[in-house]
Amino acid sequence: MGYNTMKKEILFQFDIAWQLFEYHCQNLNDDEALWCINENGLQIRKKDTTWIPDWPDTEDYAIGPSSISWIMWHILFWWKSTISASKYNIILNKDDVKWPGDTSRAIIEIRNCHDEWIHFVNSLSEEELSSSTLCRWPFDGQNMYSLLLWLNAELMKNASEIGFARFLYASIKQKSGAE
C-alpha cells in the first residue's frame, strides 16, 4: 500500500471516529456531562475556582463509568499531549491540560485539536510517517503510522464512552421520572 493510500485510509478511519464523537456530543449540556452514576467514577471536580480531573490509581472495573466531562478532559489530555510531543517536542503532564469550565467550551477545544491534528497529519511526509523521530508520546520509538492508528482507536473508544454515558444518563433519568 502506497504512502498516499495509507494516509488516506488512516484519515478515513479517523473521520469515522470523529463523526461518532460529533454525533454523541449533539445537544450535550453541562448537567449531563458532569453527571456520574457513582462517586467512584472518574469526574471533573470543582475545588474553589479550579476544575480538577480525577486521576485513577487503577483502572479497576469497581471505579465504574466516568463522567462525560472527564472523558472529554481525557480527550483533551491525550490529544494535546500527542500534538505537543509530536509537533513541538514538549511532553505535557496531566496538570498542564485544564478542563475549560463547561461542555460547550470543551467541545470547541476538542474541535480545535481535531483541526490542528488534521493539518499536522496532512503535512507529514512519507519519511516522517514511517519514522519514529516524531513519535515521542505515548509510544516513544514507534513510527507515526502507529501513533495515528492509536489516536484513531482512542478517539473511537472515547466517543463510544460518551455515547454509553449518555444512554445511561437518559435511561436513569427516564426511570426516575416514571416513578
Side-chain angles (χ1 to χ4, degrees):
M1 184 178 296
Y3 156 73
N4 286 329
T5 302
M6 183 69 147
K7 186 191 282 190
K8 180 182 170 191
E9 293 300 323
I10 290 171
L11 289 172
F12 173 75
Q13 182 189 63
F14 172 77
D15 189 54
I16 292 170
W18 182 249
Q19 288 176 44
L20 186 63
F21 170 81
E22 288 283 12
Y23 175 78
H24 286 311
C25 288
Q26 290 176 14
N27 304 312
L28 180 62
N29 63 48
D30 287 340
D31 288 340
E32 190 174 358
L34 292 167
W35 174 84
C36 196
I37 194 166
N38 65 41
E39 281 298 311
N40 294 335
L42 299 173
Q43 300 181 48
I44 303 293
R45 301 175 197 275
K46 193 165 190 177
K47 185 175 182 179
D48 300 322
T49 59
T50 306
W51 291 94
I52 309 293
D54 290 341
W55 193 256
D57 295 325
T58 178
E59 293 190 21
D60 188 79
Y61 290 112
I63 293 173
S66 304
S67 70
I68 293 171
S69 58
W70 188 89
I71 297 165
M72 294 173 86
W73 171 83
H74 189 246
I75 292 170
L76 288 168
F77 169 70
W78 58 252
W79 219 340
K80 287 182 176 194
S81 295
T82 303
I83 290 169
S84 179
S86 299
K87 283 182 72 173
Y88 309 112
N89 198 21
I90 298 170
I91 305 299
L92 302 178
N93 68 56
K94 67 178 179 62
D95 297 325
D96 294 326
V97 179
K98 307 293 183 203
W99 171 250
D102 66 55
T103 306
S104 60
R105 285 189 288 177
I107 291 170
I108 289 168
E109 276 196 46
I110 292 169
R111 286 178 179 151
N112 289 340
C113 287
H114 167 272
D115 294 346
E116 186 175 1
W117 185 247
I118 289 292
H119 181 73
F120 175 64
V121 170
N122 280 321
S123 75
L124 295 173
S125 69
E126 181 174 8
E127 294 77 29
E128 290 168 325
L129 284 167
S130 298
S131 171
S132 63
T133 55
L134 295 177
C135 187
R136 299 177 188 99
W137 187 95
F139 309 113
D140 188 28
Q142 291 290 322
N143 64 43
M144 285 301 289
Y145 282 123
S146 296
L147 181 65
L148 283 119
L149 291 168
W150 166 79
L151 195 132
N152 288 355
E154 190 69 21
L155 181 59
M156 181 65 76
K157 175 188 74 77
N158 287 146
S160 298
E161 289 171 333
I162 291 169
F164 172 76
R166 291 197 77 181
F167 285 123
L168 191 59
Y169 178 83
S171 66
I172 288 173
K173 291 298 178 184
Q174 182 180 18
K175 185 178 178 182
S176 67
E179 294 176 353

